[in-house]
Amino acid sequence: MSKGALSLAPSTIPLGRDVLKQVPSIAYTVPDLDGVVRLRVYAVSDSGGIGTQLACLETQLSNTKSVYQKAVGWVTAIIAGAGLIAAGITSGLGNTNTAAHVAANAVSLFGVFQAQAIIGMTAVSMPPIVQSWTQNFQWSMGIIRVSFLQRLATWYQRATGAHQPHIFPL
């Protein structure tokens, strides 16, 4: 057997009540559970004890709960947009000083949302709960699933050769 990743379909294994009693109740409620199951296979020695390790299989656990919720993204986008709209209306009514303060606060809030999204886009390995949380703010970086925009961007990338790496001489 050689070391490497196995490509298996996600599956559910029914467990007996005696096994389920040993699982802490928090495992059923914590979102984006960062759990690992490791199965080690050992040879039986001539004396009947445990011999050398033959294999080790490891997999991630999930309870299918997550802190990523599309509704959170929509609500935060509406809040940020409402701040900017309120600043525009206030400015239109002639209260420019108030409008400037509201707009500055709305832009600051938008910056916080973008900072959350940027944290999730770093190449640093983070716990699954952080990765899921930052997805709630991906809209602030323009990461929005819109089919016709994706087709347009793909067409533009292919038409301009932007997908090919460029090597610049030193």
Side-chain angles (χ1 to χ4, degrees):
M1 196 178 260
S2 61
K3 181 179 179 179
L6 296 174
S7 179
L8 302 173
S11 61
T12 303
I13 301 172
L15 301 174
R17 290 188 185 269
D18 56 331
V19 174
L20 292 175
K21 287 180 183 175
Q22 296 176 12
V23 177
S25 62
I26 196 169
Y28 299 107
T29 57
V30 172
D32 299 300
L33 183 67
D34 191 14
V36 176
V37 173
R38 190 172 293 125
L39 174 68
R40 292 189 175 134
V41 179
Y42 292 93
V44 177
S45 68
D46 294 335
S47 62
I50 296 176
T52 59
Q53 182 175 328
L54 299 175
C56 180
L57 299 171
E58 188 176 284
T59 188
Q60 300 293 323
L61 278 180
S62 172
N63 60 6
T64 67
K65 297 186 184 323
S66 179
V67 294
Y68 169 64
Q69 301 292 327
K70 282 187 178 183
V72 172
W74 279 102
V75 169
T76 55
I78 290 168
I79 290 170
L84 292 175
I85 291 169
I89 291 171
T90 307
S91 178
L93 294 174
N95 301 321
T96 56
N97 193 23
T98 304
H101 286 284
V102 173
N105 289 331
V107 170
S108 294
L109 180 63
F110 189 77
V112 170
F113 293 159
Q114 281 190 327
Q116 293 290 314
I118 289 170
I119 287 169
M121 293 190 297
T122 60
V124 177
S125 179
M126 294 187 200
I129 194 165
V130 175
Q131 294 171 352
S132 295
W133 172 254
T134 59
Q135 285 181 345
N136 290 322
F137 304 100
Q138 64 190 2
W139 62 267
S140 67
M141 297 299 296
I143 303 172
I144 302 169
R145 185 172 186 86
V146 180
S147 298
F148 81 90
L149 282 178
Q150 289 178 332
R151 284 193 303 275
L152 181 66
T154 302
W155 168 83
Y156 179 77
Q157 181 184 28
R158 291 179 181 162
T160 61
H163 63 285
Q164 298 184 13
H166 298 286
I167 300 173
F168 299 103
L170 298 175

